């Protein structure tokens, strides 16, 4: 859910698009997300999970204002692969969870991702950070089971991506 399929991009020549591209400007992207939310839209921004420090001021402001911004971070894993240890976030989850009024969710499989979206989209008084993996995970939960904290009995994600696989 980071690129709206079959929807134009907002560009200098085309203002009708709904996809905005920011390049490597995480702070600016999340600030724009906050502005869009303040104007009444339901907006989200997405980037790799190695970059939340760049956008933390915007994330903190959304939490202080208690607005429903949605921040999506992907590639949460020590198995990121070819980019090496500089792209293996390990401390960012704790840092985001320490921000008051920011709800930080790290779904364990596709069913939990769907359930997370169902749970948070109606919220109007708090921002959410969704932390998603890039690994292929087999479902460890049934789609319609009641939500309760649990640990899978066996690993459900492949430990490392296959060499040459797309990021």
């Amino acid at each position: 859910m980071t690129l709206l399929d079959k929807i134009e991009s907002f560009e200098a020549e085309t203002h009708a698009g709904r996809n905005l591209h920011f390049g490597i400007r995480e702070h600016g992207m999340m600030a724009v997300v906050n502005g869009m939310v303040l104007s009444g839209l339901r907006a989200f921004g997405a980037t790799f999970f190695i970059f939340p420090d760049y956008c933390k001021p915007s994330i903190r402001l959304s939490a202080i204002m208690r607005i429903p911004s949605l921040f999506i971070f992907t590639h949460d894993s020590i198995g990121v692969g070819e980019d090496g240890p500089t792209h293996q976030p390990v401390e960012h989850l704790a840092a985001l969870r320490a921000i008051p009024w920011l709800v930080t969710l790290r779904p364990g499989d596709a069913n939990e991702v769907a359930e997370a979206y169902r749970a948070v989209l109606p919220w109007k008084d708090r921002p959410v950070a969704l932390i998603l993996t890039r690994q292929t995970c087999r479902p460890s939960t049934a789609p319609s089971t009641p939500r309760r904290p649990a640990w899978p009995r066996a690993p459900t994600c492949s430990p490392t991506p296959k060499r040459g696989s797309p990021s």
Side-chain angles (χ1 to χ4, degrees):
M1 186 184 138
T2 57
L3 183 66
L4 302 172
D5 290 335
K6 300 178 184 162
I7 301 291
E8 291 182 49
S9 292
F10 184 94
E11 296 182 18
E13 310 81 36
T14 311
H15 297 122
R18 292 176 59 200
N19 287 311
L20 282 75
H21 302 276
F22 287 88
I24 51 171
R25 296 170 195 90
E26 282 80 6
H27 173 64
M29 173 178 55
M30 300 313 188
V32 168
V33 166
N34 287 344
M36 293 171 73
V37 169
L38 286 168
S39 74
L41 298 172
R42 190 59 195 254
F44 68 90
T47 188
F48 287 5
F49 192 43
I50 195 63
F51 300 126
D53 284 346
Y54 297 139
C55 48
K56 195 168 290 171
S58 296
I59 294 171
R60 289 185 70 247
L61 280 173
S62 70
I64 290 167
M65 293 185 288
R66 297 190 189 173
I67 59 173
S69 299
L70 180 56
F71 308 109
I72 301 169
F73 294 98
T74 64
H75 293 66
D76 170 27
S77 176
I78 59 168
V80 168
E82 65 276 359
D83 294 324
T86 60
H87 281 68
Q88 294 174 332
V90 292
E91 73 282 3
H92 297 306
L93 189 62
L96 288 175
R97 285 185 172 159
I99 297 174
W101 295 103
L102 175 68
V103 176
T104 303
L105 301 174
R106 186 181 187 201
D109 63 22
N111 293 329
E112 289 185 4
V113 171
E115 187 64 28
Y117 279 120
R118 269 193 286 277
V120 305
L121 287 178
W123 294 350
K124 305 285 185 222
D125 63 347
R126 66 198 95 165
V128 175
L130 279 180
I131 316 303
L132 308 174
T133 186
R134 75 171 285 209
Q135 269 55 43
T136 301
C137 297
R138 64 177 156 71
S140 61
T141 59
S144 60
T145 58
R147 299 291 96 196
R148 60 182 172 17
W151 292 97
R153 289 179 286 176
T156 59
C157 300
S158 60
T160 56
K162 294 177 185 168
R163 206 172 263 291
S165 64
S167 14

